[in-house]
Amino acid sequence: MPALMLLSEVMERYKFDHPPKEDGNTRETLPCDIFSMTIGSGHGGLVAILLGKLRMPVDAALEAYCSLLAALPTSPAQSDEERSQNATRLEEELRRILNFEGITPDDMMQTNTRKTESHRVVVCTGQTTNMSNPYYIRSYPSRGVQTAPCTILQAAMACMADPTFYPPVTLGKFHRRVTLVEAPATFANPTKLLLSEAEVIHTESWSVRLILSLGCGESELLTVEEYHGGPRRLQYGVESERVHQDLLSRLKETRIYYRFHPRGQFGLSEDPADIQARVDGFLQDVDISSSVDAVVRTMEKGWPKQAIAIGDINSVRVLDMGLPPRPSVVPNFVGREDVLAQLRSHHLGGQFSPEQLPRISVLAGIGGSGKTQCALRFALEYERSVQNASVYFVDARSEAALRQGLQNIVYSMKSGLSQRWSTSILASLPDWM
């Protein structure tokens, strides 16, 4: 619910800046008119269906969602019979919403042609026999592992199938039969999954102008006991924040990634008016309001000031084992082809054997001339071109910092190695270091 309320504010500001034209066309601009893809898991999956597949205005989707929650159970089921009763009630309410929007129970989630509608929807669920990976229900055909055919109603039921309230949802027949439940906490924030999906649909050069992530409450600091023993919603909050911090470290300088998540936790049984009041308070924060305005400006069709290739976004990985994050890629990287050509020739040209000295390039220039971005741009190309290649950034302002950075790399490649073992490796390195 908070996510829909946040999106409602974004769309209201957009409509204020784009009043109806004098030609008499009063059609409301919808989120699916602006954004090319939407993904959601759990209740967010239902929201994605309402906004993207049913093409509902935000306020209409919010009203439908509130009425749905008012009719659903708020306490876990105590038996399989109670779960079945809950599922019957959920299906009745979903049928009512779909019928109001002119959708029949037999209408399929996925179109049968590759020339599908301009907006694509992905619902992220969990497969009972493979909870390590997300199970996608798409509104469009896609390369790769195919999912079982399902109706819009079945997709909505699957993403809501929290095992503590409802039984699993079975789709397909024979070898394509799958049993689905609500996506696990690992995929509570599926933004990175959407970026990977976008690269499959398009090419790695496809430009991204805006990534908008909407949360349902900011996570708080948790102890190990609270995380593993507390309510599952706490785990969802922690996992969502982890994904956000990963993306933020990749894209903090690009000004194409925004995430809004109000402070505190929100309960499914909480009064919608109280939730709206808390969201309004969150939006009154000066920095938050400024970020919302930045999103609205970026939603302009002709906004040219930032765009970044999807391949570059997905290539910049955050490394483990305490290694520093890589520099953030900048949008609209142009020029420097002469420098990049020399780097390609030196590092990618010819044969390389382990006996050879490492190939080193030094980029020199005044501050702000683009040395870091040239290096990062080539690093992304190198990772794509060389199988099993890894690129690391280390602090070389002093010998001590450099040695510590190299030691961290050793730890990251062979976790569990002793301090003395990694130190002996560094001591055996040649003088070029």
Side-chain angles (χ1 to χ4, degrees):
M1 193 179 301
L4 278 170
M5 293 175 176
L6 290 167
L7 183 58
S8 176
E9 176 66 19
V10 171
M11 295 305 299
E12 285 300 319
R13 295 192 189 190
Y14 180 85
K15 288 187 289 185
F16 184 88
D17 294 344
H18 301 79
K21 297 181 180 180
E22 296 181 356
D23 58 6
N25 183 9
T26 59
R27 179 183 175 277
E28 179 180 354
T29 300
L30 306 175
C32 58
D33 296 325
I34 298 173
F35 297 92
S36 59
M37 297 186 70
T38 302
I39 193 171
S41 64
H43 287 235
L46 175 61
V47 170
I49 292 173
L50 297 179
L51 295 175
K53 188 63 180 178
L54 274 58
R55 300 182 62 85
M56 295 176 67
V58 179
D59 289 343
L62 182 56
E63 182 178 339
Y65 182 69
C66 288
S67 66
L68 176 70
L69 289 187
L72 297 183
T74 57
S75 57
Q78 302 302 312
S79 64
D80 290 341
E81 181 181 1
E82 187 175 352
R83 289 186 181 88
S84 297
Q85 293 172 351
N86 290 343
T88 300
R89 193 185 319 170
L90 173 62
E91 182 174 347
E92 291 174 352
E93 290 300 314
L94 289 173
R95 284 174 177 266
R96 179 183 59 81
I97 294 173
L98 295 177
N99 181 66
F100 186 80
E101 295 298 320
I103 304 297
T104 72
D106 297 326
D107 285 342
M108 300 302 291
M109 181 68 178
Q110 184 177 124
T111 57
N112 294 323
T113 173
R114 296 180 67 175
K115 294 182 178 180
T116 183
E117 59 267 26
S118 59
H119 187 88
R120 293 175 168 88
V121 177
V122 190
V123 173
C124 182
T125 66
Q127 188 175 358
T128 55
T129 55
N130 180 15
M131 294 294 281
S132 299
N133 299 300
Y135 188 90
Y136 294 136
I137 300 176
R138 303 176 176 93
S139 68
Y140 53 91
S142 177
R143 294 181 70 247
V145 178
Q146 297 300 305
T147 54
C150 75
T151 65
I152 299 175
L153 176 61
Q154 289 173 320
M157 292 287 293
C159 64
M160 297 281 287
D162 181 342
T164 60
F165 291 92
Y166 308 102
V169 174
T170 300
L171 305 177
K173 299 178 180 179
F174 307 115
H175 67 290
R176 286 296 184 189
R177 188 178 72 253
V178 293
T179 304
L180 304 179
V181 295
E182 181 186 46
T186 311
F187 311 118
N189 181 350
T191 310
K192 290 198 296 184
L193 302 178
L194 182 64
L195 294 174
S196 298
E197 182 76 2
E199 189 170 3
V200 172
I201 298 172
H202 305 283
T203 63
E204 63 181 24
S205 61
W206 187 62
S207 294
V208 177
R209 289 192 297 117
L210 175 62
I211 303 169
L212 179 59
S213 175
L214 300 173
C216 295
E218 194 172 59
S219 62
E220 301 173 354
L221 293 175
L222 302 176
T223 65
V224 172
E225 292 78 10
E226 289 172 328
Y227 177 75
H228 290 287
R232 287 194 310 131
R233 63 184 177 87
L234 297 181
Q235 300 178 17
Y236 278 69
V238 172
E239 297 299 336
S240 295
E241 181 66 14
R242 183 176 300 168
V243 172
H244 165 58
Q245 291 299 328
D246 185 354
L247 286 170
L248 187 63
S249 65
R250 304 183 193 197
L251 303 171
K252 59 184 176 182
E253 302 296 336
T254 64
R255 291 180 294 173
I256 68 169
Y257 170 70
Y258 296 88
R259 176 171 171 81
F260 301 111
H261 46 165
R263 303 174 186 90
Q265 299 290 337
F266 294 82
L268 296 178
S269 59
E270 189 172 346
D271 190 324
D274 293 339
I275 296 177
Q276 184 67 67
R278 293 170 61 186
V279 171
D280 289 345
F282 170 75
L283 289 166
Q284 288 173 7
D285 182 280
V286 175
D287 291 336
I288 299 299
S289 182
S290 177
S291 295
V292 173
D293 285 336
V295 169
V296 173
R297 287 194 300 271
T298 310
M299 287 162 60
E300 293 274 4
K301 287 185 178 180
W303 184 257
K305 294 190 177 180
Q306 64 252 355
I308 188 167
I310 187 69
D312 290 346
I313 296 174
N314 290 335
S315 293
V316 183
R317 298 190 295 270
V318 176
L319 302 172
D320 297 327
M321 303 302 295
L323 292 171
R326 299 176 179 182
S328 177
V329 292
V330 297
N332 301 325
F333 180 91
V334 295
R336 303 293 193 273
E337 281 300 323
D338 55 337
V339 177
L340 292 174
Q342 293 181 58
L343 291 172
R344 295 185 193 110
S345 175
H346 185 58
H347 293 275
L348 296 175
Q351 298 294 321
F352 177 79
S353 64
E355 293 78 18
Q356 293 177 323
L357 289 175
R359 300 180 181 183
I360 300 174
S361 293
V362 177
L363 301 183
I366 62 174
S369 61
K371 301 183 297 296
T372 299
Q373 287 302 319
C374 279
L376 181 57
R377 182 67 47 169
F378 176 71
L380 299 179
E381 290 187 16
Y382 189 87
E383 282 188 325
R384 295 186 191 128
S385 302
V386 180
Q387 187 177 9
N388 299 323
S390 294
V391 177
Y392 302 90
F393 284 77
V394 293
D395 184 351
R397 286 175 292 184
S398 68
E399 182 178 345
L402 178 58
R403 285 185 172 275
Q404 182 61 56
L406 294 174
Q407 189 174 72
N408 289 340
I409 293 173
V410 173
Y411 275 124
S412 73
M413 291 188 295
K414 294 184 179 293
S415 59
L417 294 176
S418 67
Q419 174 90 10
R420 185 169 59 183
W421 194 90
S422 61
T423 302
S424 67
I425 290 182
L426 294 178
S428 67
L429 291 176
D431 295 336
W432 58 265
M433 210 189 79

